[in-house]
Amino acid sequence: MKPTQSFLFAAMATLPLAIASATAQAQSYEMVIATQLPEDMKNNEIYPALVHFKNLVEARTDGDLEVSIFGGGQLGSEVENGSEVQGGRTLQSTIMSAGAMSSFYGDYQAVTAPFLFTSWRQAWSFFDSEWFADFMSGTVEDANMRYLGTFDDGGGFVAFTNNVRLIETMEDLEGLNIRTEENPAHVAIMRSLGASATPLPWGELITALETGLADGQFNAPVLNTTFNFDAVTDYTTLTGHVYNSAPWVVSESWYQSLPETHQQALISSAREAIQLSHGMSGALATASWVESCERFEACYLMPDAERERMAEVARPAWKEWIVDDFGMDEARVQGLLDEVERVGQQLADDDLRIYGQ
């Protein structure tokens, strides 16, 4: 073999190593995100939004900030993930349910208020507002977490499923034993409406319904169909008495270690990902409710008048719990409730002003 050929073959042999080395050097920062949602582009709104976020961030930083997503609870429970994000070393970001978030930032319990929203637009406008971002700014001091935004959890508005009867009025809840999350806010709401409440972890829910430990439960229609609750309960009613949300946070100490250009890319990309998730959330929830009416023995869409009647009973009981038992400042609670109402009224006024006159 000629000397020039030997040199050429040697150079070609080392080329893959050189490329790998250059790639490794190009990536200066890594952002690992954990979520309990499955890595599925069709059955939930959060994972596709995170994939979009990853694509945006890596493009906007020219690959210098690499994003890795671990779904399906691969990296532990919500609370375990939250604790890891506080350190910011092995895990930089996570999405948690309202209950888990409240264990790190107690004021988040305020969004568990019954019948808080009347529409997705009101909920999205509120959660995307500067007012709510300011409300959540305390996560930095309390938990070393920076708030990025709020996803719907399974579509937001919840529906009851139960084995006893179709729930058409508040009186139909009387005497039912409803499984709730291990969240005292949900317990207080159920009891105020005349039902018993049995707090149980997710893993015990199906067995509780099969054995009669619980007569029913409530979750977003997406979860009710995905997890085949029609196989263990007969009736479903869309009440929307709870709006399930999932705040997205990032380690504050890690965020502060990023160059300003990367911080801008992260924030802008997160806000776009949140917007993308909104439409998918509504579409999935609507499709799942239609599917629920096909699969359950009977379904019922609670009219606004009955929802308002239930709210008049549930809201004062919840407010008493969150102030007297949970210990949240009453003025802060009322401030949130007032802002939600203001947002809803502003949307209605603007709609009529812009499109109705």
Side-chain angles (χ1 to χ4, degrees):
M1 184 180 294
K2 295 180 180 179
T4 53
Q5 290 178 315
S6 298
F7 175 78
L8 180 61
F9 284 128
M12 291 176 65
T14 59
L15 184 59
L17 295 175
I19 293 174
S21 176
T23 301
Q25 291 173 4
Q27 176 213 319
S28 301
Y29 303 93
E30 183 179 18
M31 181 180 183
V32 179
I33 308 173
T35 174
Q36 300 298 303
L37 275 294
E39 295 177 358
D40 192 302
M41 297 295 287
K42 296 181 179 180
N43 72 2
N44 71 89
E45 68 275 13
I46 293 178
Y47 183 72
L50 293 179
V51 170
H52 184 55
F53 170 80
K54 168 184 169 68
N55 292 339
L56 288 176
V57 167
E58 292 180 351
R60 289 169 174 174
T61 64
D62 198 22
D64 196 44
L65 173 52
E66 183 180 52
V67 178
S68 301
I69 308 164
F70 292 87
Q74 294 178 65
L75 301 185
S77 70
E78 291 179 301
V79 173
E80 289 170 340
N81 290 164
S83 297
E84 287 295 320
V85 168
Q86 286 182 300
R89 291 179 292 276
T90 58
L91 184 62
Q92 288 75 45
S93 183
T94 192
I95 297 95
M96 292 184 276
S97 65
M101 185 72 235
S102 297
S103 66
F104 294 96
Y105 185 59
D107 282 5
Y108 200 81
Q109 274 286 1
V111 303
T112 64
F115 301 98
L116 185 60
F117 304 112
T118 59
S119 69
W120 277 311
R121 281 184 69 211
Q122 183 187 22
W124 298 337
S125 296
F126 173 73
F127 284 127
D128 289 341
S129 69
E130 185 175 353
W131 189 98
F132 191 66
D134 183 65
F135 180 88
M136 292 296 291
S137 63
T139 58
V140 172
E141 182 177 348
D142 287 7
N144 192 40
M145 294 174 179
R146 175 172 292 268
Y147 168 74
L148 296 179
T150 298
F151 292 107
D152 293 341
D153 188 355
F157 294 110
V158 301
F160 282 107
T161 75
N162 84 95
N163 273 316
V164 180
R165 54 181 169 266
L166 189 63
I167 299 169
E168 297 181 276
T169 67
M170 180 167 56
E171 286 72 22
D172 291 327
L173 280 164
E174 190 73 35
L176 295 185
N177 185 0
I178 303 296
R179 175 269 176 183
T180 68
E181 294 179 12
E182 295 175 289
N183 187 331
H186 291 178
V187 174
I189 293 168
M190 286 300 96
R191 289 177 177 170
S192 73
L193 294 173
S196 300
T198 300
L200 291 171
W202 175 260
E204 299 178 21
L205 175 51
I206 294 292
T207 301
L209 295 170
E210 288 176 330
T211 61
L213 178 61
D215 297 319
Q217 59 88 44
F218 57 84
N219 266 297
V222 175
L223 296 180
N224 293 339
T225 55
T226 299
F227 290 94
N228 302 313
F229 284 116
D230 58 291
V232 289
T233 52
D234 297 326
Y235 310 103
T236 184
T237 300
L238 184 56
T239 56
H241 61 281
V242 168
Y243 194 94
N244 284 334
S245 60
W248 183 9
V249 295
V250 64
S251 166
E252 174 66 8
S253 55
W254 176 81
Y255 172 83
Q256 292 298 341
S257 74
L258 298 176
E260 186 174 343
T261 54
H262 290 20
Q263 291 178 349
Q264 178 67 62
L266 188 155
I267 295 296
S268 298
S269 301
R271 298 311 307 159
E272 181 166 328
I274 290 285
Q275 294 301 311
L276 179 146
S277 77
H278 288 338
M280 189 170 186
S281 169
L284 283 171
T286 301
S288 295
W289 177 245
V290 171
E291 185 178 350
S292 291
C293 288
E294 296 171 350
R295 288 169 53 174
F296 285 84
E297 185 174 316
C299 70
Y300 186 70
L301 180 61
M302 183 75 73
D304 286 349
E306 186 62 21
R307 293 181 75 254
E308 290 170 5
R309 181 169 168 258
M310 294 171 72
E312 289 175 0
V313 173
R315 181 69 66 78
W318 170 85
K319 193 172 179 182
E320 180 180 354
W321 167 80
I322 200 169
V323 173
D324 295 345
D325 296 342
F326 188 72
M328 190 169 174
D329 179 69
E330 184 174 4
R332 189 156 169 80
V333 174
Q334 190 59 49
L336 182 140
L337 299 177
D338 291 345
E339 179 63 15
V340 170
E341 185 175 355
R342 188 201 66 77
V343 167
Q345 188 59 56
Q346 186 68 58
L347 287 171
D349 291 346
D350 287 349
D351 288 346
L352 185 60
R353 176 178 58 82
I354 297 170
Y355 302 101
Q357 295 182 359

